[in-house]
Amino acid sequence: MQFLLENQKKELFDTFFESGNFCIVVVDHNGNVSYINESYCRFLEVEKHDAIGRHVTEVIENTRMHLVVESGKEEMADLQYIKGNYMIANRIPLYADGQMVGAFGMVLFRDTEEWLKMNSHIRELLLELKAYRSQKHESNGASYSLHHIISRSPVLEQLKDKTKQIAPTDVSVLIRGESGTGKELFAHSIHHLSERSSRPFVKVNCAAIPEHLLESELFGYQEGAFTGAKKGGKPGKFQMADGGTIFLDEIGDMPMSAQVKILRVLQEGEVEAVGAVQPQKVDVRIIASTHQPLEKLIAEQCFREDLFYRINVVQFHVPSLRQRTEDIPLLAKSLLLKITDRIGKRVEDFRDEVYESLMEYHWPGNVRELENAIEAAAHLTNSEEIQIRDLPEYIQPHSYQWEEDLSLKEILDQTEKRVIEKTLQKANGDKIKAAELLGIGKSSLYDKTKKYNL
């Protein structure tokens, strides 16, 4: 019997794992795909040889296989959204000699139709759930959750874990980071995972509201409070957010007069509408964001120190895209799928050299700039793969065609200038760090930047 099993091991393996009824994937301890069956490849529309060896997040949409490897905890009968379908997925960690070696994943149904046919009651419940979720998003204003934050970098994964930790509490949160890094996505996610998730989520763009209107926008006004006031008055953002969460986006741009009233909301739990005689009690959780150094604004007396300490109970710092370049390929692919689905154009991937260019670029506008660049490329390309020439010109690597009449010194000077520019970008403008990367003294670098007017 043992001999029979040994000789038929491969046949038994293929019979089970290559069955058309299952979608199966195995990843190693790094989260890279070590095996995927043909059934799964057909569903994902990928070639097996292209999938093997790649990180599972680059192959399977919304996968959690790499997270199972990290946690060592199995996930059974979990819903996973792939290519427009909800799948039922089982994920099991794999051990050998007591060591974690990877994870095994199996999708029981290749699309929702197979599942829904099994039980009409489940169909009814799913449709009801879908309708409820749609109504919830429309009513509370929070559109994003953690699965919208695409990442594989440790720093982003830690921020996601931190979101899960603090979301159930009612503490005020200050989210810091450059423009375009995704601060709003974290604000939405905190609300979604909180006890207030069924209540309103109200966003206030503090930088977009004129100063003379900000107070009435935030706290509302009573009928007759000023010329042009609506009959019956109008509730402010805080009244609209009662019981839920208010997101004060770019709070560093808020005028001092409004800051005083925000502080009162935090201290007393009440707001006073313009023209009102009595204050009104409100129960809101405050999440604020800023790209500005609030400590500097405090020193310049442009931001209240007492308000800073009130909103800065828990602080998030969302890193710039250039600080998590390992996320760029994953983000780019995800954004491409979203964009092509919206514009109805079949563009499936990027050439390898495009991925390299995307990872080398500085991205001062972060994820927002990356999305704009990919959308431009998707519109311009004439193939199913985005090529270098499809990228905006400022992202393309320059070929630098030398003119025949240039001297050797001129060519060397141009090359040196280009290398210094790229190194300064890599060092985020830090000349001391750039000098270390170049292997030259800082005074030498200062001389060269002055020479080339950098």
Side-chain angles (χ1 to χ4, degrees), residues 25-27 56 63-69 90-91 103-105:
V25 65
V26 179
V27 301
V56 67
T63 184
R64 291 181 55 82
M65 291 290 290
H66 58 304
L67 301 179
V68 171
V69 172
N90 293 335
R91 308 179 190 95
F104 171 89

Side-chain angles (χ1 to χ4, degrees), residues 74 130 155 191 353 381:
E74 68 176 31
K130 184 178 179 181
V155 65
H191 177 76
E353 59 267 27
T381 189

Side-chain angles (χ1 to χ4, degrees), residues 181-445:
T181 51
K183 299 188 292 295
E184 185 174 345
L185 269 65
F186 278 99
H188 283 243
S189 300
I190 292 168
H191 177 76
H192 261 306
L193 294 173
S194 74
E195 298 298 317
R196 299 172 178 264
S197 60
S198 61
R199 303 296 296 166
F201 176 88
V202 178
K203 175 186 173 182
V204 180
N205 189 335
C206 300
I209 303 174
E211 183 174 347
H212 66 284
L213 295 177
L214 189 59
E215 190 173 335
S216 61
E217 282 291 318
L218 288 176
F219 311 113
Y221 56 81
Q222 297 289 308
E223 182 177 344
F226 51 83
T227 304
K230 288 183 180 179
K231 187 176 182 180
K234 180 185 175 183
K237 300 291 187 182
F238 274 89
Q239 290 93 326
M240 292 166 64
D242 191 22
T245 304
I246 191 162
F247 174 43
L248 301 175
D249 193 18
E250 297 301 346
I251 195 170
D253 293 307
M254 180 177 286
M256 295 288 279
S257 58
Q259 291 177 33
V260 176
K261 294 210 170 187
I262 294 288
L263 188 62
R264 181 176 180 180
V265 177
L266 288 167
Q267 291 175 333
E268 310 294 337
E270 59 184 29
V271 297
E272 189 172 326
V274 177
V277 178
Q278 294 292 332
Q280 177 184 349
K281 286 286 183 182
V282 291
D283 171 26
V284 296
R285 179 185 193 171
I286 290 185
I287 301 175
S289 79
T290 184
H291 74 281
Q292 298 195 63
L294 295 184
E295 294 84 353
K296 183 180 178 183
L297 295 181
I298 291 169
E300 295 171 351
Q301 298 187 338
C302 295
F303 197 86
R304 293 184 63 98
E305 188 174 13
D306 47 5
L307 176 58
F308 173 73
Y309 289 119
R310 282 283 186 172
I311 63 174
N312 194 36
V313 179
V314 173
Q315 185 175 142
F316 277 53
H317 185 272
V318 185
S320 64
L321 195 53
R322 59 187 171 276
Q323 293 172 314
R324 53 185 184 105
T325 53
E326 64 266 51
D327 285 339
I328 290 177
L330 191 62
L331 266 170
K333 187 66 180 291
S334 175
L335 290 168
L336 180 64
L337 291 173
K338 183 181 84 170
I339 290 164
T340 53
D341 183 62
R342 186 178 74 241
I343 67 178
K345 191 172 182 179
R346 185 180 176 86
V347 185
E348 297 185 343
D349 210 340
F350 304 86
R351 290 280 182 89
D352 289 342
E353 59 267 27
V354 174
Y355 279 118
E356 292 172 8
S357 292
L358 294 178
M359 293 182 73
E360 287 177 2
Y361 181 63
H362 191 57
W363 298 114
N366 293 292
V367 181
R368 189 178 296 125
E369 184 184 5
L370 175 63
E371 183 171 7
N372 291 340
I374 292 172
E375 182 161 7
H379 280 287
L380 290 170
T381 189
N382 294 318
S383 68
E384 293 185 2
E385 279 190 324
I386 288 178
Q387 302 175 53
I388 285 288
R389 65 172 180 266
D390 302 320
L391 292 175
E393 189 175 343
Y394 62 90
I395 297 174
Q396 295 180 24
H398 297 292
S399 58
Y400 288 92
Q401 298 294 322
W402 308 117
E403 296 177 19
E404 293 182 3
D405 58 348
L406 287 180
S407 68
L408 177 60
K409 184 181 183 304
E410 288 171 327
I411 292 173
L412 291 174
D413 283 347
Q414 288 190 23
T415 304
E416 185 177 58
K417 180 181 178 182
R418 177 187 169 202
V419 170
I420 291 172
E421 282 179 327
K422 281 189 168 291
T423 307
L424 284 169
Q425 286 183 352
K426 189 175 182 180
N428 297 331
D430 186 335
K431 291 184 179 178
I432 295 176
K433 185 177 178 182
E436 291 174 359
L437 292 171
L438 289 166
I440 61 177
K442 60 180 182 181
S443 58
S444 177
L445 179 63

Side-chain angles (χ1 to χ4, degrees), residues 4-271:
L4 179 65
L5 287 175
E6 287 296 330
N7 279 273
Q8 294 183 339
K9 188 184 295 182
K10 185 178 187 305
E11 186 178 342
L12 288 169
F13 182 90
D14 289 342
T15 299
F16 180 75
F17 286 107
E18 293 297 341
S19 168
N21 296 322
F22 303 101
C23 292
I24 291 172
V25 65
V26 179
V27 301
D28 63 19
H29 65 286
N30 292 317
N32 297 322
V33 176
S34 55
Y35 173 82
I36 185 168
N37 70 350
E38 291 293 347
S39 179
Y40 215 165
C41 287
R42 283 195 299 272
F43 176 76
L44 295 172
E45 297 179 340
V46 299
E47 295 293 332
K48 183 181 285 193
H49 62 83
D50 289 334
I52 300 294
R54 293 171 66 188
H55 196 271
V56 67
T57 53
E58 298 175 7
V59 179
I60 304 172
E61 183 182 359
N62 295 318
T63 184
R64 291 181 55 82
M65 291 290 290
H66 58 304
L67 301 179
V68 171
V69 172
E70 292 174 10
S71 68
K73 297 178 182 178
E74 68 176 31
E75 298 180 352
M76 305 300 289
D78 185 42
L79 278 179
Q80 182 177 344
Y81 191 72
I82 313 176
K83 294 182 75 65
N85 294 306
Y86 282 101
M87 320 282 278
I88 303 176
N90 293 335
R91 308 179 190 95
I92 303 169
L94 299 176
Y95 293 88
D97 300 325
Q99 298 292 319
M100 170 74 69
V101 295
F104 171 89
M106 177 188 292
V107 171
L108 302 182
F109 301 96
R110 286 167 294 170
D111 56 54
T112 45
E113 293 304 316
E114 294 179 29
W115 182 28
L116 294 176
K117 286 175 185 175
M118 294 182 62
N119 194 317
S120 60
H121 181 58
I122 293 177
R123 181 198 296 267
E124 183 181 351
L125 289 176
L126 275 181
L127 292 173
E128 186 177 335
L129 178 62
K130 184 178 179 181
Y132 170 74
R133 283 175 172 168
S134 178
Q135 290 172 4
K136 181 181 174 184
H137 287 166
E138 290 175 4
S139 63
N140 72 11
S143 307
Y144 305 107
S145 55
L146 276 183
H147 80 270
H148 288 101
I149 303 172
I150 309 297
S151 68
R152 64 194 293 182
S153 58
V155 65
L156 257 291
E157 293 303 311
Q158 289 170 10
L159 278 182
K160 289 181 182 181
D161 290 340
K162 188 175 181 180
T163 299
K164 294 173 186 176
Q165 284 182 302
I166 62 95
T169 70
D170 258 353
V171 295
S172 300
V173 180
L174 177 62
I175 306 175
R176 309 180 82 157
E178 296 178 9
S179 296
T181 51
K183 299 188 292 295
E184 185 174 345
L185 269 65
F186 278 99
H188 283 243
S189 300
I190 292 168
H191 177 76
H192 261 306
L193 294 173
S194 74
E195 298 298 317
R196 299 172 178 264
S197 60
S198 61
R199 303 296 296 166
F201 176 88
V202 178
K203 175 186 173 182
V204 180
N205 189 335
C206 300
I209 303 174
E211 183 174 347
H212 66 284
L213 295 177
L214 189 59
E215 190 173 335
S216 61
E217 282 291 318
L218 288 176
F219 311 113
Y221 56 81
Q222 297 289 308
E223 182 177 344
F226 51 83
T227 304
K230 288 183 180 179
K231 187 176 182 180
K234 180 185 175 183
K237 300 291 187 182
F238 274 89
Q239 290 93 326
M240 292 166 64
D242 191 22
T245 304
I246 191 162
F247 174 43
L248 301 175
D249 193 18
E250 297 301 346
I251 195 170
D253 293 307
M254 180 177 286
M256 295 288 279
S257 58
Q259 291 177 33
V260 176
K261 294 210 170 187
I262 294 288
L263 188 62
R264 181 176 180 180
V265 177
L266 288 167
Q267 291 175 333
E268 310 294 337
E270 59 184 29
V271 297

